[in-house]
Amino acid sequence: MRSLRTGLSLASLVAGVAMLLTAPAAQAADTPLRDLGAARGKMIGTAVTGSKLTGTYGDIAGAQFGSLTPGNAMKWGSVEPTQGSFNWAEADQIVSFAQAHDQQVRGHTLVWHSQNPGWLTNGSWTSAQLGSLLQNHITTEVGRYKGKIAAWDVVNEPFNEDGTYRSTLWYNGLGADYIANALTWARAADPAAKLYINDYNVEGVNAKSTALYNLVRSLKDRGVPIDGVGLQAHLILGQVPSTLQQNIQRFADLGVDVAITELDIRMTLPSDSTELAQQKADYKAVTAACVAVARCVNLTVWGFTDSDSWVESTFPGQGAATPYDANYAPKPAYYGIAEALGDTSTPPPTGACTAAYSVGSQWNNGFTGNVTISCSGASLSSWKVSWTYGAGQQITQAWNATCTQSGAAVSCVNASYNGSVPDGGSVSFGFNANWSGSNPVPTVTLG
């Protein structure tokens, strides 16, 4: 696009720039996922990064989900990077956020073979020393959050794919009873918290899930405290196990709860409409399997936005695994979850609502801009528009909207009184901004 020099009128550009518009993701469905889940007796949750719990990310996390899982903040390497020196900052932040938003917290994770501090993994420990270290860690962490954590993933990923025990620091040093001991210590530290064993590739009936089943049955027979199993559900597009519901039911029949703890469904990039439609069907199928079993009590996505997902860095060429895109817009997968929980609302038709950007007046170092949001064939209960400036323009004041700017990126959301845009109607907001040298039309982005 051409640059426009000082003194040139921009009135001819009032025919505006079409920008993609979406209702804020926190209001993506008529009813938030957490409320849809509650109506079904299911807690709908997400893993989160504590430092991101602000702005749009925080708004969505607080509005849409009834439980939060710290993605990394409660792992041993995070909370005790140096022996005897603790860092609870991010974990405390997540717990405080959850309390402020009437949410539960799923603690993750107390005993794992990965993300342990170097002082622990590189140490030469006797069995007695290792057992003491583990007991002290569990007692310290669970005790710190006593009464604040609804459930703990006490033991994470204890099995190999063939159902044998994974060779780890814990298994090698303490034997298979490290699992029973960990559960017992966790129960003593917080008798009210639900205690889980969590693993991946145990979603369907197979050798690994059968080993987990046999372990849980054995623990219950021995009187070891075990309240639930976590099925991580890091899935691949089109590969939801056909025996998922059957598997959930067989664990429930043992007398334990079941949680889908880390759900994401990855695809080959770049994603296309066919893949996104399949992903919606897959998310819907997983949610429906949980809905069908009374003791499936929690469904947690492992990060709700593609911008906060582990997948792309771990599986090169794959990604787009979560219910929201990187710009916080709900994907079809979001509506797959909502539909399985009983909500039939669908997103507005593409292009049914648009925003037009125009410049009303301009002077030596400033200008007044306006954005009009219009709907035809759909309506909005709230809105958000975003764009990127190309020449250093800076918004100084806005009215009829709340606008924030970070670098060149601008994001504006409705005021409390003008979020509703009826079918066939429109609303507008305005702003003043500085400029110098040129004032090109802003780049179109998804809000």
Side-chain angles (χ1 to χ4, degrees):
M1 296 181 180
R2 65 183 182 183
S3 298
L4 299 171
R5 301 300 178 187
T6 303
L8 291 180
S9 170
L10 299 183
S12 60
L13 296 178
V14 172
V17 178
M19 291 183 293
L20 292 175
L21 178 69
T22 180
Q27 304 297 325
D30 289 344
T31 305
L33 295 180
R34 62 185 291 172
D35 294 340
L36 293 172
R40 292 280 196 163
K42 314 298 177 184
M43 185 65 66
I44 307 300
T46 184
V48 293
T49 301
S51 61
K52 297 183 179 180
L53 284 172
T54 186
T56 303
Y57 182 98
D59 290 344
I60 298 171
Q64 287 289 336
F65 301 100
S67 73
L68 302 181
T69 301
N72 291 298
M74 289 186 176
K75 293 171 181 174
W76 199 329
S78 297
V79 300
E80 194 181 4
T82 303
Q83 187 172 9
S85 179
F86 296 92
N87 179 3
W88 304 106
E90 186 185 0
D92 286 353
Q93 179 186 17
I94 292 169
V95 171
S96 295
F97 182 96
Q99 291 175 330
H101 291 81
D102 192 27
Q103 294 168 304
Q104 293 183 358
V105 178
R106 288 189 61 87
H108 181 82
T109 178
L110 296 171
V111 190
W112 192 25
H113 64 272
S114 185
Q115 289 185 245
N116 290 312
W119 66 263
L120 176 63
T121 57
N122 297 328
S124 297
W125 313 107
T126 66
S127 179
Q129 289 172 328
L130 193 61
S132 179
L133 285 168
L134 183 57
Q135 182 177 6
N136 289 339
H137 171 69
I138 292 172
T139 301
T140 299
E141 183 158 9
V142 177
R144 178 181 181 83
Y145 296 107
K146 182 178 180 180
K148 299 178 180 179
I149 303 291
W152 279 101
D153 292 328
V154 178
V155 177
N156 198 43
E157 302 175 1
F159 290 109
N160 294 314
E161 296 305 299
D162 63 359
T164 58
Y165 282 105
R166 184 191 293 270
S167 176
T168 68
L169 173 70
W170 310 115
Y171 180 77
N172 297 340
L174 300 173
D177 258 359
Y178 83 89
I179 298 173
N181 289 335
L183 290 162
T184 300
W185 295 329
R187 174 55 45 85
D190 186 353
K194 300 291 187 180
L195 308 180
Y196 280 69
I197 300 173
N198 191 54
D199 215 326
Y200 65 92
N201 287 350
V202 292
E203 295 77 31
V205 176
N206 56 37
K208 192 175 187 180
S209 65
T210 297
L212 178 57
Y213 176 89
N214 290 334
L215 171 63
V216 172
R217 182 171 59 184
S218 173
L219 292 170
K220 288 186 67 67
D221 288 344
R222 294 167 56 190
V224 176
I226 175 69
D227 300 302
V229 295
L231 316 181
Q232 290 186 13
H234 295 295
L235 302 176
I236 300 171
L237 192 72
Q239 296 185 24
V240 176
S242 60
T243 53
L244 174 59
Q245 183 178 326
Q246 174 190 344
N247 194 42
I248 294 172
Q249 186 65 60
R250 71 167 174 163
F251 280 107
D253 291 343
L254 284 178
V256 296
D257 291 336
V258 180
I260 306 295
T261 54
E262 305 181 25
L263 176 61
D264 52 32
I265 302 175
R266 62 186 184 269
M267 64 183 70
T268 301
L269 298 175
S271 60
D272 58 32
S273 59
T274 300
E275 288 178 312
L276 292 173
Q278 179 64 55
Q279 187 184 51
K280 176 183 178 179
D282 291 348
Y283 266 96
K284 186 173 183 178
V286 173
T287 307
C290 183
V291 168
V293 181
R295 294 202 71 152
C296 185
V297 297
N298 183 298
L299 185 145
T300 289
V301 294
W302 200 246
F304 61 84
T305 169
D306 292 340
S307 65
D308 191 40
S309 172
W310 70 301
V311 170
E312 290 191 31
S313 62
T314 307
F315 301 95
Q318 296 185 309
T322 77
Y324 286 80
D325 70 19
N327 295 306
Y328 303 121
K331 292 153 58 178
Y334 172 95
Y335 296 96
I337 298 171
E339 289 172 12
L341 293 172
D343 182 69
T344 58
S345 61
T346 56
T350 301
C353 294
T354 59
Y357 178 106
S358 61
V359 174
S361 60
Q362 182 170 295
W363 53 96
N364 287 341
N365 58 0
F367 67 95
T368 296
N370 185 79
V371 175
T372 298
I373 299 125
S374 305
C375 287
S376 178
S379 62
L380 296 172
S381 59
S382 53
W383 46 262
K384 170 185 174 182
V385 292
S386 302
W387 63 89
T388 300
Y389 278 127
Q393 301 98 315
Q394 290 288 324
I395 290 181
T396 58
Q397 179 188 17
W399 49 93
N400 297 329
T402 300
C403 293
T404 58
Q405 183 168 353
S406 177
V410 178
S411 178
C412 299
V413 298
N414 61 272
S416 60
Y417 51 82
N418 66 350
S420 177
V421 185
D423 187 1
S426 64
V427 298
S428 297
F429 68 90
F431 55 89
N432 290 330
N434 295 329
W435 70 293
S436 178
S438 65
N439 189 12
V441 169
T443 303
V444 176
T445 60
L446 179 65

